[in-house]
Amino acid sequence: EVQLQASGGGLVQIGESLRLSCTASGFTFDNYIIGWFRQAPGKEREGVSCISPGDGSSYTQDSVKGRFSISSDNAKNMVYLQMNSLKSEDTAVYYCAALPAVLGLNQRIDLWQYWGQGTLVTVSS
C-alpha cells in the first residue's frame, strides 16, 4: 500500500523555523519525485518544492527560494522541507506528494500520483 506521511507542522511566530518530514512507503522511492505543496485558506493548492531522490535534482518555487530548502534521506525514504524565516503568508496546510520520476520536476498538480494527508503550518505575529 502506497503511503505518504507528512509531519512536523505547528504554530510558530514570524521569523522562526520549522522542518517538515515526509515518510514514503509502498513504492520504489528512487523512481519517484517527492514534492511539497501547500494550500492556504481560500486559495488553490500550489507547488512549493520537489526533489528527485534518484539523482538529487530539485526545484523550489521563487516565493520561498532562499528561505526553504528540500532534502532527501534515501536510506529512510524520507524527504524534508526546511522552512526558515517564516512569514504569515506561509500559513497553509502542507502536503507531500509523489510523481513518477519519468515526468521530471513537474509542477502540474494533476500529474502527481500519490498524496499524503497534510500537516498544518501556522505562522503568527
Side-chain angles (χ1 to χ4, degrees), residues 38-118:
R38 66 185 181 185
Q39 188 164 17
K43 294 188 176 181
E44 293 187 353
R45 193 171 298 189
E46 63 174 356
V48 177
S49 189
C50 58
I51 189 167
S52 171
D55 63 16
S57 59
S58 67
Y59 165 85
T60 299
Q61 183 202 105
D62 285 346
S63 68
V64 302
K65 200 173 289 184
R67 299 189 297 121
F68 290 12
S69 62
I70 193 168
S71 61
S72 68
D73 184 334
N74 292 15
K76 296 181 179 179
N77 281 12
M78 293 186 71
V79 170
Y80 306 99
L81 184 69
Q82 178 67 43
M83 306 186 297
N84 299 327
S85 302
L86 283 161
K87 304 177 180 180
S88 57
E89 52 263 42
D90 296 319
T91 294
V93 177
Y94 284 72
Y95 301 87
C96 61
L99 172 78
V102 293
L103 296 178
L105 301 173
N106 202 308
Q107 297 305 295
R108 275 185 52 186
I109 290 177
D110 60 310
L111 295 179
W112 289 74
Q113 187 171 359
Y114 303 119
W115 290 84
Q117 86 291 358

Side-chain angles (χ1 to χ4, degrees), residues 9-31:
L11 173 64
V12 296
Q13 293 189 326
I14 291 173
E16 293 186 338
S17 299
L18 273 178
R19 189 178 79 157
L20 304 183
S21 300
C22 177
T23 304
S25 62
F27 59 92
T28 303
F29 193 61
D30 287 359
N31 290 347

